[in-house]
Amino acid sequence: RMANGEVWDFESYTSHLFVRREHQLIWRESLELSNLGEGLSVRERMADYKASTTVLIIGPRMAPAAESVLRTVSQMEIGRKMSAPQLLMSASQLEGVEDPAVVLRMAAYTTMQLEDGLRQLLASPLRDILGEDPFQRKR
């Protein structure tokens, strides 16, 4: 509830994400955000970042999207990533799985900036895979 100033207004948050295919665990991620005792609170550590996401792009049909995201993010200059701090992103190839897989992580000042970043990275490759732009109906 950002409008009420309740952004990152908690002492601790834990999330677990499990991805299974045919009952076999292929990816697991855990996230914990918590106050650091006498140190910084979650709100202070997250600063102006109000939105974050983790996207797993996996599977033979998604290979072109995974490759496109990995290529695009890896070609960004480090200075460019940091000079536009309203949107931070990283992408890495997931090792140890049969299918091509990329983990995309993003943080932004607003949910709209996050959505725009996802749209810029994924609209074209997903249009090629799905036959339409999945973001088109969003707005």
Side-chain angles (χ1 to χ4, degrees):
R1 297 180 357 167
M2 289 193 281
N4 294 333
E6 297 176 7
V7 178
W8 308 118
D9 192 21
F10 51 81
E11 291 183 19
S12 178
Y13 168 81
T14 303
S15 172
H16 302 283
L17 178 59
F18 300 91
V19 177
R20 291 184 170 85
R21 181 182 293 148
E22 298 175 7
H23 306 289
Q24 182 178 356
L25 180 67
I26 56 174
W27 189 60
R28 172 183 59 206
E29 178 171 275
S30 295
L31 170 68
E32 181 177 354
L33 299 174
S34 60
N35 293 338
L36 294 174
E38 301 289 324
L40 297 174
S41 68
V42 172
R43 180 182 296 201
E44 291 167 321
R45 290 186 9 239
M46 294 304 291
D48 292 323
Y49 296 95
K50 309 292 189 274
S52 66
T53 190
T54 299
V55 179
L56 178 63
I57 306 166
I58 189 169
R61 287 192 64 206
M62 296 301 291
E67 292 165 8
S68 174
V69 166
L70 190 60
R71 182 178 53 254
T72 301
V73 174
S74 68
Q75 289 175 350
M76 289 180 172
E77 297 175 28
I78 292 176
R80 178 171 169 231
K81 291 179 191 177
M82 300 309 291
S83 67
Q86 296 86 2
L87 178 64
L88 299 176
M89 66 182 77
S90 70
S92 56
Q93 193 162 355
L94 188 61
E95 302 294 333
V97 294
E98 290 180 28
D99 297 324
V102 167
V103 178
L104 171 65
R105 292 182 176 89
M106 300 173 76
Y109 282 11
T110 68
T111 53
M112 189 59 94
Q113 288 170 329
L114 193 66
E115 180 187 335
D116 288 345
L118 287 170
R119 181 186 305 268
Q120 288 176 1
L121 286 172
L122 293 171
S124 180
L126 288 180
R127 186 181 312 107
D128 294 344
I129 294 166
L130 302 173
E132 66 177 310
D133 180 352
F135 295 99
Q136 189 170 7
R137 292 186 231 157
K138 177 75 173 126
R139 294 192 186 225

